[in-house]
């Protein structure tokens, strides 16, 4: 089974207010939430009595039952139904030598969904079910469920609800940040970076307040390395530009304006090529 990395295919920025329907790593999606993976070309809805999550650093999207022991692991696959059938019958290895295989011959459900009950060499006391649905752009979605036996049928209905409502759209490789609006994103946010040596650590913290003022404590070079700016500073700030890059201008009291280039890529923010972490400001009114 050729499994693509949904963390990349469902790429978006976790703290961004831009394109809110795109799946964001680390965000919990309750029942009824819309999911959109533009690069894989998939739209779906979190089923009733389930929560969805794309764990940071993981390769699969996870649905967890809210009222029983049940989990659905959602993967993308570029194989055909015939190849999937053979693999499911032969068995697919997951994790540390856990063999998962179909019970009997996989069958077609609802005209366009490949479906099979599963058996596993993992811990006893669970039952499994798997379904696959393919779109017109050479991408299939595979949903694999594990459940406690007493809630198996109810949880399988949740999986089937998810697969029945899943639709395919034309994938897009367009930069997801072409319309990224930096100004609302940065207001009331804090930019932080760190540097470490054998004896201590240094950090730069810049609080960008919603009223257009800033407070900063610059303990390391990097953000404004050309200006040699260090220490506690305050003043006003602004950004100029829509898209993956922008100019951040700090007008420092008794000094005047200085600027640096901000860039967003792969869910991360960089200033002059250096990674900065973004969180809620703590020194704004």
């Amino acid at each position: 089974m050729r499994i693509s990395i949904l963390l990349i295919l469902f790429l978006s920025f976790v703290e961004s207010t831009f394109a809110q329907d795109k799946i964001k790593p680390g965000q919990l999606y309750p029942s009824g939430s819309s999911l959109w993976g533009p690069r894989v070309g998939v739209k779906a809805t979190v089923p009733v009595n389930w929560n969805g999550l794309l764990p940071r650093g993981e390769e699969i999207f996870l649905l967890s039952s809210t009222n029983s022991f049940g989990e659905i692991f959602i993967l993308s696959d570029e194989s055909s139904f015939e190849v999937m059938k053979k693999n499911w019958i032969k068995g697919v290895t997951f994790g540390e030598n856990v063999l998962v295989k179909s019970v009997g011959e996989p069958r077609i459900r609802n005209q366009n969904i490949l479906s099979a009950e599963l058996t596993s060499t993992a811990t006893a006391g669970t039952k499994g079910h798997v379904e696959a649905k393919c779109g017109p752009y050479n991408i299939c979605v595979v949903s694999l469920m594990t459940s406690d036996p007493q809630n198996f049928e109810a949880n399988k209905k949740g999986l089937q609800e998810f697969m029945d409502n899943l639709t395919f759209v034309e994938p897009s490789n367009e930069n997801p940040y072409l319309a990224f609006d930096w100004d609302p994103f940065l207001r009331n946010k804090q930019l932080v970076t760190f540097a470490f040596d054998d004896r201590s650590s240094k950090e730069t913290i810049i609080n960008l307040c919603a009223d257009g003022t800033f407070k900063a404590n610059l303990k390391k070079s990097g953000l404004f390395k050309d200006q040699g700016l260090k220490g506690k500073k305050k003043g006003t700030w602004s950004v100029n530009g829509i898209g993956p890059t922008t100019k951040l201008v700090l007008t420092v009291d008794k000094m005047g304006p200085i600027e640096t280039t901000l860039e967003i890529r792969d869910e991360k923010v960089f200033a002059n090529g250096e990674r900065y972490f973004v969180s809620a400001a703590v020194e704004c009114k």
Side-chain angles (χ1 to χ4, degrees):
M1 182 184 297
R2 294 178 57 202
I3 299 173
S4 302
I5 300 177
L6 287 191
L7 179 61
I8 297 174
L9 295 175
F10 286 160
L11 182 64
S12 69
F13 186 56
V14 65
E15 293 181 90
S16 173
T17 57
F18 162 67
Q20 295 179 0
D21 287 339
K22 293 182 181 179
I23 293 177
K24 302 176 177 68
Q27 178 171 318
L28 186 68
Y29 291 87
S31 297
S33 298
S34 297
L35 307 174
W36 177 34
R39 294 194 182 182
V40 75
V42 169
K43 289 189 175 183
T45 303
V46 177
V48 176
N49 297 323
W50 294 81
N51 287 328
L53 178 71
L54 178 61
R56 298 174 192 263
E58 297 296 329
E59 299 180 355
I60 57 177
F61 191 81
L62 175 66
L63 292 174
S64 299
S65 174
T66 59
N67 56 13
S68 67
F69 172 75
E71 294 181 323
I72 301 173
F73 303 91
I74 302 166
L75 318 164
S76 69
D77 194 325
E78 298 178 12
S79 304
S80 66
F81 272 4
E82 290 303 314
V83 172
M84 289 185 201
K85 279 185 180 181
K86 293 178 182 178
N87 286 333
W88 294 358
I89 293 171
K90 180 181 178 181
V92 180
T93 300
F94 288 90
E96 298 180 359
N97 300 319
V98 176
L99 183 66
V100 178
K101 60 189 302 183
S102 66
V103 178
E105 181 82 9
R107 63 190 184 278
I108 298 296
R109 181 185 71 82
N110 199 22
Q111 298 184 335
N112 63 345
I113 296 174
L114 185 65
S115 176
E117 306 297 301
L118 296 176
T119 183
S120 170
T121 58
T123 305
T126 61
K127 296 183 67 175
H129 184 79
V130 63
E131 294 197 349
K133 188 174 185 178
C134 298
Y137 304 102
N138 300 318
I139 292 289
C140 302
V141 171
V142 179
S143 292
L144 187 152
M145 182 195 75
T146 61
S147 171
D148 55 332
Q150 58 267 36
N151 292 290
F152 176 77
E153 291 300 327
N155 288 335
K156 185 169 75 171
K157 288 181 180 179
L159 183 152
Q160 292 175 337
E161 176 188 337
F162 177 82
M163 295 298 285
D164 287 342
N165 293 330
L166 184 146
T167 59
F168 294 91
V169 296
E170 185 173 2
S172 172
N173 290 319
E174 183 179 87
N175 189 318
Y177 308 115
L178 288 179
F180 189 77
D181 192 345
W182 287 90
D183 186 273
F185 170 70
L186 288 175
R187 288 190 182 273
N188 206 35
K189 294 292 178 61
Q190 183 184 77
L191 302 179
V192 183
T193 191
F194 304 90
F196 301 90
D197 57 32
D198 294 336
R199 293 174 296 178
S200 63
S201 64
K202 297 180 180 179
E203 62 183 8
T204 285
I205 301 176
I206 302 175
N207 288 276
L208 303 173
C209 302
D211 62 1
T213 62
F214 79 89
K215 295 179 181 179
N217 192 0
L218 311 175
K219 294 184 178 181
K220 64 181 291 294
S221 61
L223 183 59
F224 299 101
K225 57 185 177 181
D226 296 335
Q227 295 89 342
L229 188 66
K230 285 189 177 183
K232 292 185 177 180
K233 305 293 179 182
K234 63 179 182 178
T236 60
W237 69 274
S238 65
V239 287
N240 181 22
I242 301 291
T245 62
T246 190
K247 291 289 185 181
L248 172 63
V249 179
L250 300 184
T251 302
V252 184
D253 288 355
K254 300 180 181 180
M255 180 176 176
I258 55 175
E259 68 177 39
T260 189
T261 299
L262 298 183
E263 179 184 6
I264 179 172
R265 65 176 187 272
D266 299 333
E267 306 168 35
K268 303 175 181 68
V269 169
F270 299 84
N272 282 341
E274 183 178 8
R275 172 73 187 279
Y276 272 73
F277 298 92
V278 182
S279 61
V282 296
E283 294 190 24
C284 296
K285 295 179 181 180

